[in-house]
Amino acid sequence: MVSQSPETKTAREAPVRAPSAVPVDDTVLPFEVNALDLRGRLTRLGPALDDILTKHDYPAPVGKLLGEAIVLTTLLGTSLKFEGRFILQTRTDGPVSFLVVDFKSPDRMRAYARFDAKRLKDGQTSGELLGKGHLAMTIDQGADMSRYQGLVALHGGNLEEAAHEYFLRSEQIPTRVRLAVGEEWRGGEAGKHRWRAGGMLLQFLPKAPERARQADLHPGDAPEGTVHHTVAEDDAWVEGQSLIGTVEDVELIDPNLSGERLLYRLFHERGVRVFSPQPLQAKCSCSRDAVAAMLKSFDPKDRADMVKDNKVVVTCEFCSSVYEFTPQEAGVEKT
Ligand SMILES: [Zn+2]
């Protein structure tokens, strides 16, 4: 006969309910699968992503790649436990030479890309668009706090692979990420489309740290015949990876499939608990006052060089807002 401790009789678990069928865009849904020591977040983006990408009017492959960077940023940035910024940047030698996504807690995001239109070709993968270089992730907690920056090399792979390498090398938390971006075509209006995206982060966080051991990185250029020890991964993490491996892009993007239903579809055999969704919005932090202050910080000669047709025009790279100043307002000395 098995005796029960008092704790197991008290209902400490959240009430069990059916997954909501109502899809909610522009949110991150945290979840956990206790039976497998898994925690994760699911991002669904609709109007906020469309707003950012449409304002820039990027060619579709550039929009898709920046969308992937935005999804990855929401998955990582929404884990900040304090007021601050999470900034993801890439600098690479491919057709898309620069991406930046700026997430300000708890919910604001903005982003832009730089690219060489002449080097864009049909059918390029995200990895080919990026090329070689690096991905930097910066956590900024404000003026008086230290900045943390993590770097990972990009060598022709996509952002999912870069995230895996980052977590393996730097955080040493077994992690899998899925990112998907697509265009939803609406009937009626010819050529009218909207950007959508989805993504999932899954992490293995067992109480006993030795269970989090991971298979080694590829041995790289080790001499042929070198015996490198292989590490068996924990069964729970093997199962977690296989489950997230079954998620298809269409499921991550589907506007009619709720996030809760998607999580239930994946993890119902093990039991999944979802927490309150965290809303996200596309919102730039630029302002006329901030741009004016930036102009005043410039060298007077540089300020004077910015005058064209008797005005100084500054365009925000993040949101394409245009700020116009008279030379006097911009602090340009009369000559
Ligand atoms: Zn702006």
Side-chain angles (χ1 to χ4, degrees):
M1 187 179 150
V2 180
S3 66
Q4 280 197 318
S5 68
E7 288 95 314
T8 56
K9 284 182 189 159
T10 34
R12 292 168 64 204
E13 298 291 307
V16 172
R17 59 173 171 81
S20 163
V22 182
V24 188
D25 279 338
D26 300 336
T27 54
V28 173
L29 194 60
F31 64 90
E32 64 182 27
V33 182
N34 276 332
L36 297 174
D37 292 313
L38 301 175
R39 271 192 235 160
R41 283 190 287 284
L42 173 69
T43 292
R44 309 304 290 281
L45 293 176
L49 179 80
D50 190 57
D51 185 49
I52 294 173
L53 297 181
T54 305
K55 265 189 187 138
H56 292 291
D57 198 20
Y58 292 128
V62 178
K64 184 170 182 290
L65 179 61
L66 185 59
E68 289 167 2
I70 291 169
V71 177
L72 179 57
T73 301
T74 64
L75 291 171
L76 302 174
T78 51
S79 67
L80 293 183
K81 298 283 187 290
F82 47 83
E83 283 287 303
R85 287 195 128 98
F86 178 93
I87 301 149
L88 183 147
Q89 281 180 59
T90 62
R91 282 183 195 277
T92 50
D93 65 2
V96 180
S97 57
F98 181 75
L99 293 174
V100 58
V101 188
D102 176 10
F103 176 85
K104 186 170 186 296
S105 65
D107 60 359
R108 283 190 193 187
M109 50 185 189
R110 57 181 191 162
Y112 71 90
R114 291 198 190 125
F115 63 98
D116 180 352
K118 293 190 293 292
R119 294 176 64 197
L120 295 176
K121 295 189 191 82
D122 282 345
Q124 279 165 325
T125 63
S126 294
E128 287 164 347
L129 289 169
L130 287 165
K132 295 194 176 75
H134 70 261
L135 167 76
M137 290 179 276
T138 307
I139 294 170
D140 189 345
Q141 302 181 54
D144 303 326
M145 305 290 285
S146 61
R147 273 164 84 100
Y148 164 82
Q149 191 169 62
L151 281 176
V152 53
L154 288 165
H155 24 68
N158 61 25
L159 294 174
E160 283 180 5
E161 288 158 356
H164 295 160
E165 192 167 322
Y166 170 76
F167 279 103
L168 181 61
R169 286 180 190 275
S170 304
E171 307 269 323
Q172 294 173 354
I173 300 170
T175 302
R176 278 292 168 274
V177 168
R178 286 285 286 108
L179 310 170
V181 179
E183 290 165 277
E184 179 190 10
W185 296 88
R186 295 263 165 109
E189 287 173 84
K192 178 73 184 159
H193 70 91
R194 294 174 67 87
W195 289 99
R196 295 191 58 78
M200 190 183 287
L201 171 97
L202 192 67
Q203 298 193 303
F204 181 47
L205 294 159
K207 284 196 186 69
E210 65 273 15
R211 288 182 60 209
R213 63 195 181 269
Q214 296 179 80
D216 282 354
L217 288 170
H218 188 271
D221 52 5
E224 210 175 316
T226 303
V227 179
H228 50 94
H229 68 289
T230 49
V231 175
E233 289 182 307
D234 190 275
D235 287 346
W237 180 230
V238 170
E239 185 174 339
Q241 289 175 87
S242 120
L243 290 170
I244 192 173
T246 67
V247 182
E248 297 191 31
D249 286 5
V250 287
E251 293 179 297
L252 290 168
I253 300 167
D254 188 348
N256 300 312
L257 174 63
S258 78
E260 289 195 4
R261 284 214 161 154
L262 173 54
L263 291 173
Y264 183 78
R265 190 184 275 181
L266 283 176
F267 300 112
H268 66 98
E269 283 184 9
R270 295 298 193 168
V272 54
R273 186 199 286 193
V274 295
F275 300 93
S276 301
Q278 299 169 234
L280 296 165
Q281 57 173 330
K283 196 165 183 195
C284 195
S285 50
C286 69
S287 66
R288 192 175 168 81
D289 285 351
V291 174
M294 181 194 74
L295 285 171
K296 298 218 162 87
S297 74
F298 286 176
D299 186 79
K301 186 181 176 307
D302 293 341
R303 270 200 302 265
D305 288 347
M306 293 176 77
V307 179
K308 287 199 178 77
D309 300 328
N310 204 37
K311 56 191 179 191
V312 173
V313 179
V314 177
T315 304
C316 174
E317 282 195 277
F318 279 104
C319 67
S320 307
S321 293
V322 177
Y323 296 95
E324 273 192 29
F325 300 88
T326 64
Q328 291 72 27
E329 286 170 333
V332 176
E333 315 281 327
K334 279 200 180 125
T335 46

